[in-house]
Amino acid sequence: MDTRKLAYFVQIVDSGSITKAAAALHVAQPALSQQVSALENDLKQRLLIRSKQGVKPTAAGHTLYRHAQSILRLVDQARQDVARSGAAPSGRVSIAIAPYSMASSLTPRIISEVASRYPDIVLHVTEIYGGVLSEAIKNGRLDMALIYEPGPIRGVQFTTMIVEDLHFVVNAARAGVQQADGGITLEEVASHGLFLPEQIHTLRQTVEAGFASKGLKLRLVGEVESVPSLARLLRADLGATIMPKSAADALFHEEDFQVLRIVDPALQCKIALCTPDHDPLSEAASAVLLVVKEMLQEMLSSKYSR
């Protein structure tokens, strides 16, 4: 088996026809058929089902197709890395940073530091949630993410960076907010209408699980993904929200808001670095990953040295 045979096989599956694949590859059709036969003999599996309508991969063919795509991406990445060796990292790196989190306040610093160290790297920053994260990472549309840790997801790995208690954030003028030793019970939180991200968000799932554990009903006023919109809604005292204190301190630092730790029970969340567990990061993405880790360590050191 060699990469040329794998590239031919991927093209055949993508084309759905040996004839079309031969035209796209500028290879004679009989020679292409021989390459497929050689693969089938090597793997001792039938890989394609041929019919008048074209070809379709068998179950074994689907498996080979998936692995062949990964192998070909690795080979291409190796060629690029070798070609760029000795030069400063360059290229496009995509990173997702969770809103409603302390990590979101790092975005300007990450962009500034990457631009200073690696001027040839173009950093693409987006907000994304757990439900689409695994596919984005696995398909290579996203290099890494700083998000609420959702639990194991096949194809990606999580490195826990921060574990934080969740806090209740409300307009300081709100009447009827009962504090218990600087905190607020979950039962008291349940008496207030809440703005939360949609259900696909791990933070929302953590809050709902906490309410369910106490047999409490969640009063959802609305689903808000935009932090600026959330701030305006809380400033108008149309509802409250729940998030880690570090995020609340970064986003709602004015005296107009109360930030109270939730107790009985305490709710916790994890912020994790998410990367693919199969394909290695590019040189540029690896450089950005180191910057992100440094920024996080600095933030945590500053937080715990106070």
Side-chain angles (χ1 to χ4, degrees), residues 35-222:
Q35 297 287 350
V36 174
S37 296
L39 269 177
E40 290 180 326
N41 290 335
D42 186 21
L43 296 171
K44 297 180 174 56
Q45 294 283 345
R46 187 180 181 188
L47 300 173
L48 296 173
I49 299 174
R50 299 162 176 80
S51 69
K52 292 181 179 179
Q53 288 73 39
V55 295
K56 291 184 178 180
T58 62
H62 275 295
T63 300
L64 178 63
Y65 177 77
R66 187 175 70 252
H67 284 291
Q69 286 183 308
S70 296
I71 291 167
L72 293 172
R73 280 199 302 269
L74 282 171
V75 170
D76 184 57
Q77 188 63 61
R79 288 197 178 105
Q80 292 180 38
D81 289 347
V82 170
R84 288 197 297 260
S85 61
S90 63
R92 182 179 184 273
V93 178
S94 56
I95 177 173
I97 298 180
Y100 284 77
S101 74
M102 173 175 67
S104 62
S105 65
L106 281 176
T107 303
R109 293 180 61 195
I110 292 172
I111 292 175
S112 175
E113 194 66 24
V114 170
S116 174
R117 296 190 199 180
Y118 310 108
D120 294 327
I121 291 179
V122 176
L123 196 58
H124 175 80
V125 182
T126 188
E127 293 181 351
I128 198 166
Y129 303 104
V132 295
L133 170 68
S134 57
E135 287 304 314
I137 292 279
K138 285 189 287 187
N139 294 338
R141 296 195 303 273
L142 191 64
D143 291 304
M144 68 193 75
L146 262 175
I147 62 158
Y148 287 97
E149 189 172 333
I153 296 178
R154 187 175 180 182
V156 297
Q157 61 182 0
F158 294 97
T159 304
T160 303
M161 304 300 295
I162 307 165
V163 180
E164 289 196 280
D165 290 329
L166 293 182
H167 284 61
F168 177 70
V169 185
V170 68
N171 192 302
R174 171 70 66 94
V177 177
Q178 302 296 320
Q179 300 185 35
D181 298 326
I184 184 170
T185 66
L186 194 60
E187 185 174 2
E188 177 60 23
V189 171
S191 66
H192 298 271
L194 296 174
F195 290 108
L196 294 170
E198 61 180 325
Q199 282 189 313
I200 200 172
H201 198 296
T202 304
L203 175 64
R204 168 75 172 273
Q205 296 168 15
T206 300
V207 172
E208 289 186 342
F211 272 70
S213 71
K214 296 289 286 186
L216 298 171
K217 183 177 181 181
L218 175 66
R219 288 181 56 196
L220 186 67
V221 179

Side-chain angles (χ1 to χ4, degrees), residues 1 25 28 45 58-59 78 87 95 128 155 161 176 191 233 238 252 259 279 282 288 306:
M1 189 188 301
L25 293 166
Q45 294 283 345
T58 62
I95 177 173
I128 198 166
M161 304 300 295
S191 66
L233 292 166
L238 297 178
F252 301 101
V259 180
D279 294 341
S282 67
V288 171
R306 292 172 188 167

